[in-house]
Structures are given as C-alpha cells and as structure tokens.
C-alpha cells in the first residue's frame, strides 16, 4: 500500500534528496535561495573540495584499480576491505525512486527521491553499502536508510542491506545499520512527515528564515535580514 499522498499539480514536480531535506530543516529560506530558486551559489569550501576529491579517488581505486593520489594512501585499507568482500562491486551509483517507491532513472521526470551510493557490494540476496565521510563523526542513520530503500527498489532479489558510514578522518567505520525489506514501511512512516513538510513548503512557496548560529559566518544568503547576526 502506498503511504504517500498523490502529487498536487505543479509546474515542476516536487523531488528531494537527503541533503536538501537537511538544508530545509536547517533554514527554509537558505534552502529556497540555494536549492530551489538557485539565486545564491554557495562557494565550495576547502573541506568540501577535499571531500569531493576523496570520493573521486576512491571511485577510481575501487572501480578501476587506479592508485590513490599522494596524501590519500592511508585510505588504501578501506579499498582492500571492499575488494575482499564477495559479490559485485558498485561505485558512485546514482539511484532514484518514484513517489510510489518504485525504481526509476536518476534523470527521469517521475523521480521523487534521488541519491548516490558511494560504494556497494551486492552478493545474492544481501548487500553492503558504504558512505565515505571526510568530516567529523555524526550519527545520521536516515541517510543510510534511504540508501537501503533505493537498493531494495532497484534490486527485487535483495532481502537485507547493511550500511556503514566510513569516517576516513578518524579511520573508523560507523555503526552497522542493518535494514531488511520488511523494515521499510516503518522507516517510511517515520520519515514521511518530514518530507511532507518540505513538499508543503514547495507547493505553497513558504520559506521563512530560521535564524540560528549559522547566520553569522556560514550562510551565503546575504540578502536575509538575519545574515551576519
């Protein structure tokens, strides 16, 4: 049974990603200006540039057997661990699902959620998915749950998916998050109210500012009255 209400008529159908959901819940005005209206372009920080470089290097190392660049050699142990896992190796996998939670192409018009899986290993009815992280350790299992949901949608044979964050800066794997196909209705029941709030804002163009500690130094929306305060 589909738990998600039908999409209202709009010029461009609502779609989302986990990063956009986080941005929306941090500050709705910033999310609108950066992610929706795209009137503000956020400058790429050194940390973000490094993170992107690491993701690309790990993609080439695991996917093509390339050597890791200078300064990233200490990540080799993680590539070796992935290589030792039995099953099909997948890197930088773009996945999307429809409003009905079915599979679709990443750029399809009916894509409701979009996301990327940094690395995955599929072995019959089970799979493992890893998410490379280069920042500080934060426990955000919802993102891993979305990875599992998308993998279930695109691979009907899967019965279970184990997901981990890999905290490269600290050289540790995060907690095992194990999802079974039968767990997913409960997962969506908890997450959907958050997504529905985001969709309501989209359909009504309701994006008030949410002033907080990020206003002073980290917000790129300089036209906001709270900027710099």
């Amino acid at each position: 049974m589909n738990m998600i209400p039908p999409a209202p008529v709009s010029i461009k159908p609502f779609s989302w990603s986990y990063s956009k959901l986080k941005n929306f819940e941090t500050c709705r005005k910033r999310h609108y200006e950066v992610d929706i209206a795209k009137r503000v372009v956020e400058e790429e920080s050194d940390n973000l540039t490094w993170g992107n470089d690491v993701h690309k290097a790990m993609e080439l190392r695991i996917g093509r057997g390339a050597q890791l660049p200078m300064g990233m050699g200490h990540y080799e142990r993680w590539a070796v661990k992935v290589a030792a896992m039995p099953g099909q190796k997948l890197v930088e996998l773009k996945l999307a699902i429809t409003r009905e939670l079915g599979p679709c192409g990443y750029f399809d018009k009916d894509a409701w959620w979009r996301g990327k899986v940094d690395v995955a290993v599929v072995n019959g009815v089970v799979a493992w998915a890893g998410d490379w992280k280069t920042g500080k350790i934060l426990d955000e299992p919802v993102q891993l749950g979305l990875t599992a949901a998308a993998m279930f949608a695109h691979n009907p044979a899967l019965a279970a998916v184990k997901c981990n964050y890999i905290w490269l800066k600290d050289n540790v794997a995060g907690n095992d998050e194990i999802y079974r196909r039968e767990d997913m209705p409960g997962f969506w029941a908890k997450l959907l109210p958050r997504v529905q709030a985001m969709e309501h804002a989209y359909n009504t163009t309701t994006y008030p500012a949410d002033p907080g500690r990020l206003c002073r130094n980290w917000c790129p929306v300089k036209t906001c009255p709270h900027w710099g305060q």
Side-chain angles (χ1 to χ4, degrees):
M1 179 180 296
N2 180 29
M3 300 181 292
I4 304 171
V9 176
S10 60
I11 296 175
K12 185 177 180 180
F14 168 78
S15 63
W16 64 288
S17 66
Y18 180 69
S19 62
K20 288 182 180 179
L21 177 62
K22 283 184 60 180
N23 289 345
F24 171 77
E25 293 179 338
T26 299
C27 178
R28 288 165 287 179
K29 181 174 179 60
R30 177 186 179 280
H31 163 67
Y32 177 76
E33 296 291 349
V34 175
D35 296 325
I36 305 299
K38 300 185 186 298
R39 294 189 296 212
V40 176
V41 178
E42 193 166 11
E43 293 183 9
E44 186 171 291
S45 66
D46 291 342
N47 288 337
L48 182 57
T49 299
W50 172 251
N52 290 337
D53 290 346
V54 169
H55 276 74
K56 187 63 179 180
M58 295 300 283
E59 175 190 1
L60 296 176
R61 170 63 184 88
I62 295 170
R64 302 185 187 180
Q67 186 175 354
L68 287 171
M70 186 178 299
M72 299 184 193
H74 50 298
Y75 301 150
E76 175 68 14
R77 67 179 292 251
W78 298 106
V80 171
K81 283 180 176 290
V82 173
M85 296 180 182
Q88 180 188 12
K89 313 300 189 296
L90 303 167
V91 292
E92 290 299 314
L93 183 64
K94 293 181 178 180
L95 295 178
I97 56 178
T98 65
R99 178 175 289 270
E100 295 73 32
L101 307 182
C104 66
Y106 191 81
F107 296 105
D108 287 358
K109 291 182 179 180
D110 61 343
W112 177 69
W113 171 88
R114 294 180 176 91
K116 295 181 182 180
V117 182
D118 292 344
V119 59
V121 181
V122 178
N123 185 21
V125 299
V126 297
W128 172 80
D131 190 330
W132 310 120
K133 295 294 187 183
T134 55
K136 63 181 180 179
I137 295 177
L138 294 172
D139 185 21
E140 297 177 321
V142 170
Q143 186 177 16
L144 299 180
L146 287 167
T147 292
M151 292 183 69
F152 284 133
H154 283 265
N155 191 334
L158 281 180
V161 180
K162 184 174 82 169
C163 302
N164 294 95
Y165 289 124
I166 309 298
W167 302 102
L168 295 171
K169 184 177 179 180
D170 295 270
N171 200 27
V172 295
N175 296 331
D176 292 346
E177 299 290 343
I178 299 175
Y179 299 91
R180 296 173 178 83
R181 187 175 288 274
E182 59 266 27
D183 298 333
M184 301 320 293
F187 169 82
W188 283 113
K190 291 180 180 179
L191 180 59
L192 278 177
R194 296 168 61 185
V195 181
Q196 289 166 348
M198 187 180 180
E199 184 169 14
H200 176 74
Y202 180 81
N203 290 323
T204 59
T205 320
T206 307
Y207 293 99
D210 298 296
R213 63 182 181 83
L214 298 181
C215 297
R216 180 175 295 275
N217 295 317
W218 290 281
C219 184
V221 186
K222 296 182 180 181
T223 56
C224 177
H226 302 287
W227 184 83
Q229 298 181 15

